Amino acid sequence: MTSILTMIMIFFWILLLFYSAVTISGLWYRVRYKHPAPLEKYPSIALFIPAYNEGVVISDTLSAMGKLNYPGKLDVYLLDDGSKDDTGVIAKEFSEAFANIHYIPVPDGEPRGKSRVLNYGLKISTSDYFIVYDADNQPESDAVTKLVEAAETTKGAAGAVGYVKTQNKETNMLTRMITLEFRVFQLLMQCGRWSLFKLGSLAGTNMLLRREVIEELGGYDVYALAEDAELTVRLTAAGYLLPVVPTSCTWEQEPESLKVFIKQRTRWLTGNIYLLEKSLREFSFWKGRTFILSLQHLLTYAVFIGLLLFSHIFFLLSILGVDIPNIAAPLLMLWFMSYIVYSAQLLSAIVIDDDISLRNVIYVFIMYFTYAQLFVILLIRSLYTYIKSRMKGQTVSWDKTQRFKQKAM
């Protein structure tokens, strides 16, 4: 037992040191970031908005697209995947009012989901680059321009990745905690990985890609629920770069209820489990810089959360009076250090984003014991869903996130 505990402690220390290094590097990159100079000529862009029953938000989204200030040719494609509400009616009104906004009904097909819709968008359009926005997004007017400038001035870039902010962060405790989590991922981990390893990760929205690159890779994997993570690994394995542009911002909705949150994150985690299985079968996913991405997936979804669950079981057994080895002190130290690193990341994110408040600080100190622990439940739920579908030979269906009518920004 002593040797096992020693191995666990060494692993945790290495992981904590790694995340600390990435956090510090992300802060440094964010503070020192300087945007590239304007281009002499801007490439053509196809902007894709996959949509299914988005009538609640699509008017605000298309209004924001109409306000984009891009110096080159920009065409917006609303890709309607069989909506049953008024999404199509609203989109057609915008297509009649704006020459560069196009309503595109997507033919029925299987499997349903974002990847298939994006592949269809690539088929019916022509452009040098394409950019993806979710149907609830409202990008800032210069978001596309900044991504293009970064991609065009970075040697070996397949595109570029921007920053995703939360529209409805003030709705309740859940949306505020999601906002803090996104700040860590977007402002710190993304920037830190790019600074240290020249690794960027597609975020599913506010992401720019060169058309010839996606065609070279054979398009999107239609079975990938986490299509952004899967494509990130394939792009990296092919030797391409994805520069991170923290000044290119879009605003999106986040789940306002625990039920919607659990459904959304179960889909995300199920998609990452699919990617983990795929990476164990693909040798190319473990070469060069791709090794870091694949190892991170393995450590996060197969090792780290497993050990976290293991520690919870030991804690509960000790409360119930079960006779177990006396390892409380070392485990307590690991929990304490995990809490310190996690909280330090959150505090750093609100400082760099200039959003310090007493309420945010309180959330920072309680998130490890509340919000973070949800991911143990989510992983178990996702594993059950994925294994069940594999045993029955079924494809896990793509689940749409519920939208809410937002107040004007």
Side-chain angles (χ1 to χ4, degrees), residues 184 224 270 287 327 396:
V184 169
T270 303
K287 297 193 306 183
I327 58 174
V396 181

Side-chain angles (χ1 to χ4, degrees), residues 1-2 4-5 310 314-315 317-318 322-331:
M1 179 59 70
T2 302
I4 294 176
L5 181 59
F310 171 80
F314 263 70
F315 179 71
L317 289 176
S318 65
V322 178
D323 187 20
I324 57 176
N326 186 22
I327 58 174
L331 280 179

Side-chain angles (χ1 to χ4, degrees), residues 289-360:
R289 291 177 300 109
T290 317
F291 175 81
I292 298 172
L293 291 174
S294 297
L295 183 63
Q296 180 178 316
H297 270 92
L298 180 64
L299 292 179
T300 301
Y301 299 109
V303 180
F304 181 74
I305 295 187
L307 289 174
L308 186 63
L309 182 60
F310 171 80
S311 66
H312 288 352
I313 292 172
F314 263 70
F315 179 71
L316 289 174
L317 289 176
S318 65
I319 291 178
L320 295 173
V322 178
D323 187 20
I324 57 176
N326 186 22
I327 58 174
L331 280 179
L332 185 61
M333 176 61 71
L334 292 177
W335 290 331
F336 178 72
M337 291 307 302
S338 299
Y339 173 73
I340 292 297
V341 171
Y342 183 82
S343 300
Q345 288 178 323
L346 292 168
L347 282 171
S348 300
I350 63 174
V351 169
I352 198 67
D353 217 17
D354 195 24
D355 192 23
I356 303 173
S357 67
L358 178 60
R359 183 172 59 187
N360 279 343

Side-chain angles (χ1 to χ4, degrees), residues 56-254:
V56 174
V57 295
I58 203 63
S59 180
D60 292 336
T61 298
L62 291 175
S63 293
M65 301 305 165
K67 297 174 184 176
L68 288 171
N69 181 20
Y70 181 66
K73 178 177 172 56
L74 173 68
D75 284 291
V76 178
Y77 297 89
L78 191 286
L79 304 173
D80 187 359
D81 191 20
S83 295
K84 303 297 190 295
D85 63 357
D86 57 352
T87 297
V89 174
I90 296 171
K92 287 177 184 177
E93 291 175 355
F94 273 88
S95 67
E96 293 171 359
F98 294 86
N100 70 324
I101 295 181
H102 313 280
Y103 171 68
I104 308 294
V106 179
D108 287 339
E110 294 293 338
R112 301 190 68 86
K114 187 175 179 180
S115 294
R116 185 183 67 87
V117 171
L118 289 173
N119 281 340
Y120 185 75
L122 288 166
K123 182 180 178 181
I124 56 90
S125 64
T126 58
S127 61
D128 298 313
Y129 285 88
F130 71 96
I131 188 168
V132 180
Y133 283 105
D134 286 338
D136 62 334
N137 271 222
Q138 296 181 39
E140 295 179 359
S141 62
D142 59 356
V144 175
T145 302
K146 289 181 175 180
L147 290 177
V148 171
E149 289 170 348
E152 285 286 283
T153 56
T154 302
K155 186 178 180 180
V161 185
Y163 179 23
V164 182
K165 294 188 175 183
T166 304
Q167 292 179 17
N168 54 335
K169 68 175 183 178
E170 298 299 334
T171 301
N172 54 39
M173 181 181 292
L174 177 62
T175 58
R176 294 185 189 107
M177 288 186 173
I178 294 173
T179 302
L180 291 173
E181 176 209 356
F182 266 42
R183 284 174 175 169
V184 169
F185 175 73
Q186 296 285 337
L187 277 178
L188 299 183
M189 305 309 291
Q190 274 273 53
C191 291
R193 283 197 300 268
W194 174 252
S195 178
L196 287 174
F197 310 111
K198 288 294 178 282
L199 283 173
S201 298
L202 298 174
T205 189
N206 201 25
M207 43 172 269
L208 176 81
L209 287 169
R210 198 183 299 270
R211 180 182 290 268
E212 62 183 22
V213 172
I214 191 72
E215 290 175 349
E216 172 193 327
L217 297 180
Y220 281 90
D221 180 347
V222 295
Y223 296 101
L225 294 180
E227 80 292 333
D228 47 356
E230 192 276 338
L231 185 54
T232 295
V233 175
R234 279 196 287 147
L235 286 167
T236 307
Y240 291 106
L241 299 177
L242 290 167
V244 178
V245 188
T247 56
S248 171
C249 300
T250 188
W251 296 80
E252 73 171 12
Q253 290 186 3
E254 300 305 337

